[in-house]
Amino acid sequence: MQINRHYLDLKDSYLFATIAKKVNAYQSANPQAKLIRLGIGDVTLPLCQEVIQALHGAVDEMAVKETFRGYAPDEQGYPFLKQAIREYYAGHGVKLEENEILVSDGAKSDLGNILDIFSEDNTVLIPDPVYPVYVDTNVMAGRKVLFMDATEENGFLPLPDRSVKADLIYICSPNNPTGAVYTREQLKEWVGYANEQGAIILYDAAYECFIQDEKLPRSIFEIEGARTCAIEFCSFSKMAGFTGTRCGYTTIPNELVRDGQSIQKLWLRRQTTKFNGVAYIVQKAALAVFTAEGQRQIKENLGYYMENARTIARAMEEMGIWFTGGEHSPYIWLKCPNGMKSWDFFDLLLEQANVVGTPGAGFGKNGEGFFRLTAFGDKQSTVEAVERMKKLLK
Amino acid sequence: MQINRHYLDLKDSYLFATIAKKVNAYQSANPQAKLIRLGIGDVTLPLCQEVIQALHGAVDEMAVKETFRGYAPDEQGYPFLKQAIREYYAGHGVKLEENEILVSDGAKSDLGNILDIFSEDNTVLIPDPVYPVYVDTNVMAGRKVLFMDATEENGFLPLPDRSVKADLIYICSPNNPTGAVYTREQLKEWVGYANEQGAIILYDAAYECFIQDEKLPRSIFEIEGARTCAIEFCSFSKMAGFTGTRCGYTTIPNELVRDGQSIQKLWLRRQTTKFNGVAYIVQKAALAVFTAEGQRQIKENLGYYMENARTIARAMEEMGIWFTGGEHSPYIWLKCPNGMKSWDFFDLLLEQANVVGTPGAGFGKNGEGFFRLTAFGDKQSTVEAVERMKKLLK
């Protein structure tokens, strides 16, 4: 009996768990401190009324034999939801077939589990800094990970280096943690590179809903050639506040074939074997996000968060602190003042301003010296947090 | 770029998908036929009122900022639910710590995903016939699978063979598909064998709620020594009709250590990295199953299914057909009459009685010549199905 020893190669603890421990220790020692949390990317606004009504309606269906739903269809997602997602994509000019959309309990699950269908011998290319889950899920399988440098110089948007050979390429745009967004021209370069190499781009679009400028791509499938080299992961978590309700979807084009196999069919086989679908009531809740009224309500919530983002961004400008994000993203990625290291700045903010952020170093070596703030707090707390920061750092 | 080529070793299609195709083809060709489905193990009774009320209440909490819930705690399950599960186990004499219980979206997910934390070099021991997911999830990882024969002679309850060396051992009791249940003495033999070998038993207790006789074990942890060699998987799917609502839990004792590592900590690391928890509203629904009124209501539903099981069992007895199960299980595992093969009997029942069952051969080589019927249909349909069978087979 042996465990999967690759797990021993993982770094000691998940970033947000470490932060939670530090914060809890500080709060215990200083029970009077009124902490403002602009750290973990969790939403704070309640589910919108359209979603709430859909949930109540679906719960009532589950109470009656005639409308009760058991196991969901093997196709991974009820047709009603797939159809609504399809129309949402069509709204920004992307044509998808219903079978290309596979519904799940969230982008995090799919981003981790998709690796199951790829060989462990594949080489993986991951930007640094990045959402830690990309690296950890590959370390768990013992895959070779190459990093591409995202830096102040390239605006945290690295482009392909043709001397590097990779099989799986992670792109997250709008980016977590940096808030930087690729343009269509930049994504075209990535699509060209992936098709040349026979690589697959794992495109994390969990933050597409924050894009304000129609010229910026919301989906990799807006780029010609992407259908033969990309998988897109998306989620209701940020779009509609589903972090505690759990629904996402992954899009795999029919044309995506490697080793003579349909990648979509492999994924379907993985999911029918190791997953049993998303709760009916949750799929009905997700459907409500796409009604006209649902769209109006979620946009109101997204607007609320974007105002917070502007509040933080304006404060950074006033303080003369360099940052990315905050415009098409709920994240503000700032350069720690006075050349401070990330965790030192974390401690300073926690102890002197009682503001909790996320140390950039937790996202990779290029994150050292940077820091992430999120726009998911409430308005008043966000305003107070930046006031405290301005007072501390002036 | 290579796919995971072990996927190519999987048999062509998932059993229930094949059945669905055959049934759909028959129904299309015979639109007037009134099919009765006693095939796939899906429940048909609606969620009980106690669960429905809990869902409505939790949805209302999600509508208000002060009670809205985002990401669930990293510990995999809200303390309120873990505490209720703990008390449920205490009710049949099993003492667990809260941290030993990890909540998920269902036993199927956990049974598949748990393999992630074990080496691919481990040898796996699986009964034949068996729930196909045990085999398929191991084939996907390229693990060596050994089978133990479950046959008419051993009552479909194989016992350890000490000449066989294995690292991971699957036990499902009450069994899917055979309905057979291990006694405490028999499980003691398995626990002894696993501890001797340093193996781990993956104990699938998804059907424990159907056990009627207090002398039969509902949990492997009723057996002395199990805390150093077993993981138990359980689910609300059959217990409370959650097949379309999705909640389960996995129990890993603090004492379970292999390779110097806590198996529970490895699983927690896997889950915090590749999973984002179960919806708050679903966890509140699961909690409602454990109130006194919830228990009364689900027992009423379980009693309804068990009456169906008795209806089928009585008919088998009348027809002189050999079977197991039906007493502490919703499954009746019968020997096809006149030495018929499983799929021939499937076609005969489908075409001549318009009854859909599950061919035993789909569960492994020892399933050939056997057939599974389930008690999850409605009462009237079940009575009609056995009448049709009696007429056909008399």
Side-chain angles (χ1 to χ4, degrees), chain A residues 302-317:
Chain A
L302 291 171
Y304 177 96
Y305 295 135
M306 290 316 289
E307 195 179 321
N308 288 341
R310 278 189 295 275
T311 299
I312 301 171
R314 261 196 310 268
M316 296 304 132
E317 282 161 2

Side-chain angles (χ1 to χ4, degrees), chain B residues 89-124:
Chain B
Y89 271 73
H92 41 269
V94 174
K95 198 169 169 285
L96 298 175
E97 299 300 321
E98 201 177 289
N99 69 298
E100 295 176 326
I101 300 161
L102 299 111
V103 175
S104 77
D105 65 322
K108 186 177 178 181
S109 302
D110 284 5
L111 278 159
N113 294 333
I114 196 88
L115 294 173
D116 210 46
I117 65 171
F118 296 111
S119 167
E120 288 162 11
D121 295 330
N122 288 328
T123 298
V124 177

Side-chain angles (χ1 to χ4, degrees), chain A residues 42-43 45-48 50-52 54-55 81 104-106 235-248 278 281-289 298 305, chain B residues 62 68-72 276-277 279-280:
Chain A
D42 200 354
V43 297
L45 291 175
L47 294 177
C48 71
E50 189 81 353
V51 167
I52 292 293
L55 279 169
L81 180 54
S104 77
D105 66 321
S235 168
F236 294 91
S237 283
K238 305 301 156 73
M239 188 208 281
F242 271 45
T243 52
T245 302
R246 313 303 317 141
C247 196
V278 176
I281 56 176
V282 171
Q283 294 198 49
K284 287 292 284 230
L287 176 66
V289 171
I298 65 159
Y305 295 135
Chain B
M62 295 296 280
F68 171 79
R69 306 285 182 125
Y71 290 121
N276 236 334
Y280 174 71

Side-chain angles (χ1 to χ4, degrees), chain B residues 35 94 115-116 146 212 255 260 284 306 329-330 342 366 368:
Chain B
L35 297 182
V94 174
L115 294 173
D116 210 46
L146 303 176
Q212 310 290 311
E255 293 93 321
K284 289 290 285 227
M306 290 316 289
S329 157
S342 301
N366 293 319
E368 181 60 276

Side-chain angles (χ1 to χ4, degrees), chain A residues 92-103:
Chain A
H92 41 267
V94 174
K95 198 170 169 284
L96 299 176
E97 298 302 320
E98 200 176 291
N99 69 296
E100 295 176 326
I101 301 161
L102 299 110
V103 175

Side-chain angles (χ1 to χ4, degrees), chain B residues 13-128:
Chain B
S13 169
Y14 191 58
L15 171 63
F16 297 107
T18 311
I19 294 171
K21 264 182 217 156
K22 273 188 175 250
V23 170
N24 292 341
Y26 180 81
Q27 185 79 81
S28 297
N30 303 275
Q32 82 299 342
K34 207 184 139 239
L35 297 182
I36 300 178
R37 291 160 201 267
L38 303 181
I40 191 167
D42 202 353
V43 297
T44 53
L45 292 175
L47 294 177
C48 69
Q49 271 308 311
E50 189 80 355
V51 167
I52 293 293
Q53 281 167 29
L55 278 168
H56 280 307
V59 170
D60 286 336
E61 287 183 66
M62 295 296 280
V64 178
K65 190 165 182 178
E66 287 66 31
T67 52
F68 171 79
R69 306 285 182 125
Y71 290 121
D74 267 350
E75 289 69 26
Q76 307 302 308
Y78 280 99
F80 62 75
L81 181 54
K82 292 189 180 200
Q83 195 52 39
I85 295 168
R86 207 179 156 209
E87 284 163 21
Y88 177 70
Y89 271 73
H92 41 269
V94 174
K95 198 169 169 285
L96 298 175
E97 299 300 321
E98 201 177 289
N99 69 298
E100 295 176 326
I101 300 161
L102 299 111
V103 175
S104 77
D105 65 322
K108 186 177 178 181
S109 302
D110 284 5
L111 278 159
N113 294 333
I114 196 88
L115 294 173
D116 210 46
I117 65 171
F118 296 111
S119 167
E120 288 162 11
D121 295 330
N122 288 328
T123 298
V124 177
L125 184 60
I126 300 181
D128 173 338

